[in-house]
Amino acid sequence: MPAVPADPGTYYEDPAPGAGAVAPRAVAPSTAPALPLDGDWRFRLSPTAAGGGDGFERPDYDDSGWGLLPVPGHWQLHGHGSPAYTNVRYPFPVDPPHVPDENPTGEYRRVFDLPQDWPGGPDGGRTLLRFDGVDSCFRVWLNGTPLGHATGSRLAHEFEAGALLLPGRNTLAVRVHQWSAGSYLEDQDMWWLSGIFRGVTLLHRPEPALDDFFVHAGYDHTTGAGTLAVDTAGPARLSVPELGLHQVDPAGPHLLPAVEPWSAEQPRLYAATLSAGEETLQLRIGFRSIAIEDGVLRVNGRRILFRGVNRHEWHPEQGRAVDRATMLADVLLMKQHHINAVRTSHYPPHADFLDLCDEYGLWVVDECDLETHGFEPVGWRRNPADDPQWLDACLDRMRRTVERDKNHPAVLLWSLGNESGHGANLEAMAAWCHDRDPERPVHYEGDWDSRYVDVYSRMYASHAEVEAIGRRAEDPAGTPEADAHRRTLPFLLCEYAHAMGNGPGGLTEYQQLFERYERLQGGFVWEWIDHGIPRHGADGSLDYAYGGDFGEPLHDGNFIADGLLFPDRTPSPGLVEYAAVIAPVRIGAADDGLRISNLYDVSALDHLEFRWVLEQEGLPVAEGRIDLPAVPAGTSVDLPLPELPATDGESWLTVRALLAEERPWAPAGHEVGRGQLPITPAAPRRAVATAGGGSAEDLPARIRALFLDGPRLDVWRAPTDNDHGGGNRSLVHRWRALGLDRMRHRTVSRTVGPGSLLVRTRVAPAATDLALLADYRWSEEAGRLRLDLRVEPEGDWSGVPLPRLGLRLALPAAVQRVDWFGLGPGESYPDSSRAAGVGRFGSTVDALQTPYVMPQENGNRSGTRWAEFTGADGAGLRVEGAPWFAFTARRWTAEDLDAARHTSELTPGDRVVLTLDHGQQGLGTASCGPGALPQHQLTAAPVEFTLLFSTPRNRDGR
């Protein structure tokens, strides 16, 4: 048992990784005894690192006055202290390795009974006490004797415990400090939460023991052969029944003439056992080879394209204490939305998650528990990544990452960490990885020169820069030698398309670049889930807290809510859009027919069936099935259109690729691709003579009968998180400076003409001579009110796009339902509409809203041909476009959305606010990344559009 000082002093401020823990190793399901120690532990919280200072570690200590705390768990989420969120800045002075005296410290006690049949004695082997995750520094005692202390919150630590175990009753005591020297290495854009948040287990290690092993399972894609060798610390026997290996020497190497390789699309695992003495381990072996050839990352000989996400561990009630059921839910959602890769930002996940990646098929970039981003605001002075006194801690974190996870076939790259600047310690970590595991490439985004890593990685590069990188024509950087070397490397965006609030936009254009240039191997959207913490109001309302909601003096607001899932794991529109963009089957038009493209890296399309439906004005008129020839990965096939009946209105052919049979991650019939082709265009709208019985003087009264107020020209939208991106350079800053949130209206003239009413207005903000001149020409057409709106900018509007351009009006609160023919069913915007299809849809007004954690513009339905807004009695308003418009319908105004900071602050008003838009500004991803591309920006320019208003027809809109 390693010697541990009885009084290590201020060990929590020691840059060293700890004392007393045994060497890191791989583990697997074992026949050796194990005793889980999870459950309710006795707990108390003290304000300083001294804790209670009263000998709490003694077995005879009276803890009856303490409370209970679940393990795994975070004490801040169970009424002890409060969560705090910062993105970059440390919530304590940057004074490494020291931390403040105000250092909340939790003390835990767990009394357990050792099973009577627990092996013991001089020949009974060892017993290890394993902690899979403790934030941020902990010291442990067993029966009053110290075992050691450790930092590295998301890393496993084991301590020799067998010599101190007693028959029957035993007492385990743990002191956990919120702040430690290790906190300087864990500034990872997440809630600062403390405690024993992963499991604690007592593990018997028999003699001889399989304390560590390393599986090497290679695949030769030219022959289909496999090579298997398993490194073990001592004699052992290996069996892989499917491959005819029975009790063989694991070292081999065993040459296997034919194996099925492992990939994210086809995650083939071979069940195996590894035995030594009385212990047998259950292994799952995946054969695959990794190589970088001609600047391209290949697996099993094939270029792969990451359709990835960054994943923090998060559960809204449990924080990072994530249970296996939640992990499985994440994996299934990823697979169902075509995601094939995960970067474990910014630390190794719970080992169970990697097991699920092995089983269901996800490429993994396994990241070390290292980030020192808080040193950037101080000029990277004393950055641990380049300070020799932190070398052992950095190497220890890398070793613990690799040794635990090295046998997972899903793990494709090792990542040194995130946003830690540059430094010799990072180079040492990379060198250690290359020596320990030469097969896997090493990743670190901060090494732009790529001197000690194997891939060129960037965050949030613009489309233009990514295209230049794809052409190997990026701007020179570093020395000529380093620059030349970097251009030979594959490129990936380890973070892009920041999924904060409404967005991200521009996904389609990124994907087009990934598919065009072989060097570009995809990327990882930031990030998987909003880290909201639920709050229940006195009225029963629910919203989600973010930075600042717990009184933190230093915080980064709702930047923690930047995921593709809402906190309750409901997919956001951003995830639905991402799934459509990265779908592995693309269906579109070819010359006089249909083109089906296979975008899988490995798989053919024989596991899919293709079904079509022809819809006229959104209603189905015919359907059928398409039989495909063989379509290998990376190829396309052109087919004639199916035989279709004639249609006399706007009609669309929708073709869907569906799972033919159930898969482990989705049922039969799950959609993996969809495409729409126009068959018959909408008939051109022809002006219809005004019906008799009315005059132009009647038009104002008819308008007032349809609307409570409005319609009037409107340009404002509740800013999105992406609109806010960029600080003083943000769109919101420019919009507010220009006054677009406070436009004023002046009626210039009203002219009654033959069968028409013309109202001319000037719409402008205060303190500027800029304006929009709007002409409303009202007339009657076939019993409907027709509005021809013409907008002309006045003054120099260059340099700033409009938020939106359209009409705002109000309908009675009794309106509760919307039916429309256009794009749907979900929201869509100029640069986020791949998931939308043309069809006929229906919804309640309330269901049209998207509950972003921070309220903002949402719920836009674009490409609308007609829409009806009705109450329970069917009364309401029908709007038709000539040809199209976009709409939102909500029970509050854009100003209400703009003012609210949480969804619970949105109170339904006495009307339904309806916007009918000619256009909206694109979303972009400027909350962290580039803004909307030029083609998706809404510039102030002369526009004309036409809307027709009437009372609703029947429910089918005819």
Side-chain angles (χ1 to χ4, degrees), residues 650-735:
E650 182 179 356
S651 61
W652 290 79
L653 177 69
T654 303
V655 180
R656 302 167 66 214
L658 311 171
L659 290 179
E661 298 178 352
E662 180 182 16
R663 304 299 286 266
W665 45 270
H670 176 77
E671 183 177 295
V672 298
R674 172 195 292 247
Q676 278 193 321
L677 285 75
I679 300 300
T680 305
R685 180 173 296 280
R686 292 175 297 176
V688 179
T690 301
S695 69
E697 288 82 354
D698 298 330
L699 290 175
R702 296 196 56 196
I703 295 169
R704 287 194 294 272
L706 287 174
F707 320 126
L708 290 181
D709 56 43
R712 67 177 188 172
L713 188 70
D714 189 37
V715 298
W716 186 244
R717 74 180 184 193
T720 68
D721 285 310
N722 288 310
D723 293 338
H724 280 286
N728 289 336
R729 298 176 291 105
S730 71
L731 282 176
V732 174
H733 180 82
R734 288 183 282 161
W735 288 343

Side-chain angles (χ1 to χ4, degrees), residues 112-131:
F112 64 92
D113 291 322
L114 194 69
Q116 293 183 356
D117 58 353
W118 192 267
D123 299 323
R126 306 147 58 220
T127 295
L128 299 178
L129 179 63
R130 182 180 180 90
F131 293 83

Side-chain angles (χ1 to χ4, degrees), residues 804-928:
R804 47 176 286 272
L805 181 65
L807 299 173
R808 184 197 292 199
L809 55 117
L811 303 177
V815 168
Q816 56 186 262
R817 181 173 175 82
V818 184
D819 295 276
W820 76 97
F821 175 40
L823 290 180
E827 67 183 32
S828 56
Y829 291 84
D831 54 355
S832 181
S833 59
R834 190 71 166 269
V838 178
R840 190 172 294 201
F841 306 100
S843 172
T844 64
V845 169
D846 295 335
L848 289 174
Q849 316 311 311
T850 303
Y852 294 111
V853 171
M854 170 79 84
Q856 56 197 269
E857 162 60 35
N858 72 89
N860 186 65
R861 268 63 179 182
S862 54
T864 305
R865 282 69 166 163
W866 58 256
E868 293 191 344
F869 307 88
T870 56
D873 59 357
L877 176 71
R878 178 182 173 93
V879 184
E880 298 172 56
W884 302 338
F885 61 96
F887 75 86
T888 66
R890 49 177 74 108
R891 300 189 183 278
W892 35 75
T893 65
E895 289 76 18
D896 295 332
L897 273 174
D898 192 357
R901 292 297 172 262
H902 298 87
T903 55
S904 61
E905 299 169 27
L906 293 170
T907 303
D910 61 355
R911 57 194 60 202
V912 169
V913 179
L914 178 62
T915 65
L916 306 172
D917 284 347
H918 169 73
Q920 277 216 32
Q921 166 72 6
L923 300 174
T925 181
S927 55
C928 192

